[in-house]
Amino acid sequence: MKANFYIHGVPKGQEIWGSEQDRDYIKSFYSATYNEQVRFVIEIIPAKRRIFYTYIRSKNVFGAENREGSYFGMTVSFEGVYCTDNESLFTLFDTIFNKRIMGSLLQNQNGNLRFTISTFEGKNKELESIQTEFQRQLDSFAEDLDKIDNSFTGTSNGQVAHYNISDIDNSNFFAVLRKTLKIYISPEYPTRDAQIASLKKQIEPERAKSKQLSEDKAELESKLSTTTDKNKRYEVELTSLRTDKQKLEEDNRKLRSENANLRTDLERNKAKNGIEKSVSQIKQPLEELLRHIRKISPTTSYYEEPRHHHSNNETSDTNNMRMVAHEIVLGIILVLLIALTCIAISQLDITLPSFSKKEYKHVAPKAQTQPYIMYKGNPSELEVGKEYEAQLINPPQGLSVKWRIDGAEVTNGKKNEVIIKFKPLADKDSVHLTSCIIINDKDSVIERKVWKIKKQ
């Protein structure tokens, strides 16, 4: 099996023993410092179709003069092939180091490794012996080599995977090697099982939080669903209540209308009963009156010409008396009919429209179209100094009309509903209701009214 074997390190300066072919690659380890006691580096250079396996000791390694930052390494390189049994290859390196390197090139000093030589010169025989033994053992790997093909693409953007020695040589390991072209292996790295357990331990709190959040979410969704169902029921109930309310309002309006109609019918019946009562009261006197009229009425009309053209004084006086009596009876009947009509009208409770709920007494308007004052009640009851209310009828109209009332306060100036307040004034023989002067915007007096009501 063709392979190049190298021993290198920094006993004092960097030393490389072996072939001259890969020295540039070997020099890249000069400043290498690792946190592991041992690291096994596998690296492929696709352009040269070469693969390098390097066994490195760099932690707590001192030079021959106790200089810190030294390292010791062994490298073997293949061309066109790679090893599929890397765990055994690492074991070979580790065995050569412990049996042949320790005690000859390095020694243990208080837990640290220190070079026993400052240069590899003069150690050719010993180093060749080490190479011969390594090569002899390496020949047994002939069945564990495979070709480097185009699947080694190196698409990991310089990322390097770390493997424990117990997790290598599987399909996943070689798939990662094809992508990264470089892998670090050490027995000090955590195993995949340990890493998975560590990750599980790390994510367990998050998983518990996630589970709690899921349970909280489910509880909130349940509450939301319950609340939504309640809201839907409330909306249905509210709609039903609104419908019932509308129905009750409609029924109330119908009852009010029926009540108003019943009141109207009641008032009409009262008026009818009043008329019938009044008629019954005058019915008997009228019948009695008619009997008397029949007794005194002539058998012939007094408007007819008498058959005999002669008469005496007795006949003439009798006829005159009958005519007078007849006219008196007719007058009495007319008076009774007028009285009956007035009673019927009063029983019907017919009222005329007014400007407010109060009834006002018209006080001597000059003209129906001119403004005038109406006062409710008996003027004789007015007292000096007290305040009373009256209404202005036919107030001035038009957008350009501005007016005022001297001697009174206008409390309501709506159109056709002007209400005024006034105080009576004292006079010698009468009480002045007020001196009301209605003046338009041209200072022309529309009406000057001074009411004088005699004291009782």
Side-chain angles (χ1 to χ4, degrees):
M1 179 186 295
K2 184 179 178 180
N4 292 335
F5 180 73
Y6 302 91
I7 296 175
H8 48 96
V10 184
K12 185 175 181 180
Q14 187 176 34
E15 297 282 332
I16 302 174
W17 183 91
S19 173
E20 296 292 331
Q21 184 177 359
D22 301 311
R23 285 185 175 261
D24 289 340
Y25 176 77
I26 301 299
K27 288 178 181 180
S28 66
F29 291 97
Y30 174 73
S31 59
T33 55
Y34 306 122
N35 294 324
E36 305 86 19
Q37 292 288 345
V38 59
R39 175 181 287 190
F40 189 46
V41 180
I42 303 175
E43 187 169 3
I44 298 176
I45 301 177
K48 296 181 179 181
R49 297 179 62 80
R50 294 187 68 78
I51 185 168
F52 298 89
Y53 297 89
T54 302
Y55 180 92
I56 293 289
R57 293 271 184 165
S58 66
K59 187 176 181 180
N60 299 325
V61 177
F62 292 83
E65 299 177 352
N66 286 327
R67 177 190 171 190
E68 290 183 312
S70 295
Y71 83 92
F72 173 82
M74 290 180 290
T75 301
V76 64
S77 65
F78 302 104
E79 183 174 352
V81 295
Y82 66 96
C83 180
T84 58
D85 188 2
N86 295 282
E87 183 177 0
S88 297
L89 186 59
F90 171 81
T91 302
L92 173 59
F93 275 110
D94 198 51
T95 301
I96 294 296
F97 176 79
N98 288 316
K99 287 184 177 182
R100 300 300 302 273
I101 303 300
M102 289 299 295
S104 61
L105 302 181
L106 293 170
Q107 65 179 7
N108 192 324
Q109 188 178 44
N110 298 324
N112 299 322
L113 300 179
R114 187 177 68 83
F115 276 94
T116 59
I117 59 174
S118 59
T119 180
F120 290 164
E121 293 179 6
K123 292 288 184 178
N124 280 336
K125 226 184 235 196
E126 188 173 353
L127 296 177
E128 286 175 357
S129 175
I130 295 172
Q131 180 183 18
T132 299
E133 184 177 355
F134 185 87
Q135 186 66 48
R136 182 175 58 80
Q137 296 286 343
L138 189 62
D139 288 341
S140 63
F141 286 83
E143 300 294 330
D144 299 317
L145 297 178
D146 202 353
K147 290 183 180 181
I148 298 175
D149 55 24
N150 294 329
S151 64
F152 291 86
T153 57
T155 58
S156 63
N157 298 323
Q159 294 180 355
V160 181
H162 295 69
Y163 278 86
N164 185 277
I165 193 68
S166 63
D167 295 323
I168 63 175
D169 298 333
N170 51 51
S171 59
N172 177 70
F173 173 81
F174 289 110
V176 172
L177 180 61
R178 286 181 173 85
K179 290 182 179 180
T180 64
L181 303 178
K182 189 175 184 179
I183 289 179
Y184 294 155
I185 302 171
S186 174
E188 300 174 36
Y189 293 151
T191 64
R192 285 288 182 264
D193 292 340
Q195 292 180 33
I196 292 173
S198 177
L199 289 174
K200 286 183 177 179
K201 187 176 180 180
Q202 292 176 16
I203 67 174
E204 189 61 33
E206 298 300 324
R207 183 178 295 174
K209 288 182 181 178
S210 178
K211 182 180 179 181
Q212 185 62 43
L213 289 174
S214 298
E215 292 175 355
D216 293 343
K217 179 183 176 183
E219 183 180 358
L220 290 174
E221 288 177 348
S222 177
K223 290 181 179 179
L224 178 61
S225 178
T226 302
T227 303
T228 302
D229 293 340
K230 286 184 179 179
N231 287 339
K232 288 181 180 179
R233 290 198 300 271
Y234 291 154
E235 288 176 359
V236 172
E237 292 176 1
L238 181 60
T239 302
S240 177
L241 289 173
R242 285 175 176 168
T243 303
D244 293 342
K245 179 185 176 185
Q246 292 176 354
K247 185 177 179 181
L248 290 173
E249 289 177 348
E250 183 64 25
D251 293 342
N252 187 34
R253 283 193 293 270
K254 290 181 179 179
L255 290 174
R256 287 178 179 274
S257 177
E258 292 176 0
N259 187 35
N261 293 335
L262 290 174
R263 287 180 178 274
T264 302
D265 294 342
L266 180 62
E267 294 298 327
R268 288 176 179 173
N269 290 333
K270 287 182 177 179
K272 182 179 178 181
N273 292 335
I275 294 173
E276 291 177 352
K277 183 178 180 180
S278 300
V279 171
S280 64
Q281 290 175 352
I282 65 173
K283 181 179 180 180
Q284 185 176 357
L286 284 177
E287 291 176 350
E288 185 70 21
L289 179 62
L290 288 174
R291 284 196 300 269
H292 289 292
I293 290 173
R294 291 191 190 100
K295 291 179 180 180
I296 63 173
S297 293
T299 56
T300 61
S301 174
Y302 56 85
Y303 295 105
E304 294 179 356
E305 289 290 335
R307 293 180 180 180
H308 303 282
H309 294 282
H310 62 273
S311 62
N312 52 32
N313 291 333
E314 183 181 353
T315 301
S316 177
D317 291 339
T318 302
N319 288 335
N320 288 336
M321 288 178 63
R322 288 179 177 177
M323 291 176 61
V324 171
H326 190 268
E327 290 178 357
I328 291 172
V329 169
L330 290 177
I332 291 172
I333 292 172
L334 179 61
V335 171
L336 290 174
L337 290 175
I338 293 173
L340 180 61
T341 301
C342 292
I343 292 172
I345 292 174
S346 65
Q347 292 295 328
L348 288 174
D349 195 19
I350 297 175
T351 57
L352 296 176
S354 61
F355 292 99
S356 67
K357 293 182 179 180
K358 296 181 178 181
E359 297 180 359
Y360 292 88
K361 182 177 180 181
H362 181 190
V363 181
K366 288 187 175 180
Q368 195 67 19
T369 59
Q370 291 295 320
Y372 61 92
I373 305 299
M374 290 181 69
Y375 168 67
K376 174 189 175 182
N378 188 351
S380 63
E381 297 175 353
L382 295 173
E383 297 182 21
V384 175
K386 286 190 177 181
E387 191 172 67
Y388 297 90
E389 187 178 270
Q391 183 175 0
L392 175 65
I393 306 301
N394 295 331
Q397 302 294 320
L399 295 176
S400 63
V401 177
K402 297 180 181 178
W403 53 274
R404 65 182 187 273
I405 301 178
D406 287 353
E409 175 189 356
V410 178
T411 60
N412 181 5
K414 291 183 181 179
K415 183 178 180 181
N416 296 328
E417 296 183 7
V418 180
I419 306 300
I420 64 171
K421 289 184 178 181
F422 64 92
K423 292 183 178 180
L425 304 176
D427 200 358
K428 290 182 179 180
D429 300 323
S430 64
V431 174
H432 288 227
L433 189 63
T434 187
S435 176
C436 295
I437 304 175
I438 304 173
I439 303 174
N440 64 11
D441 56 347
K442 297 180 180 180
D443 290 333
S444 299
V445 176
I446 296 177
E447 181 186 34
R448 184 186 300 274
K449 192 65 163 181
V450 179
W451 293 324
K452 292 186 178 181
I453 299 116
K454 291 183 179 180
K455 293 181 180 179
Q456 295 297 326

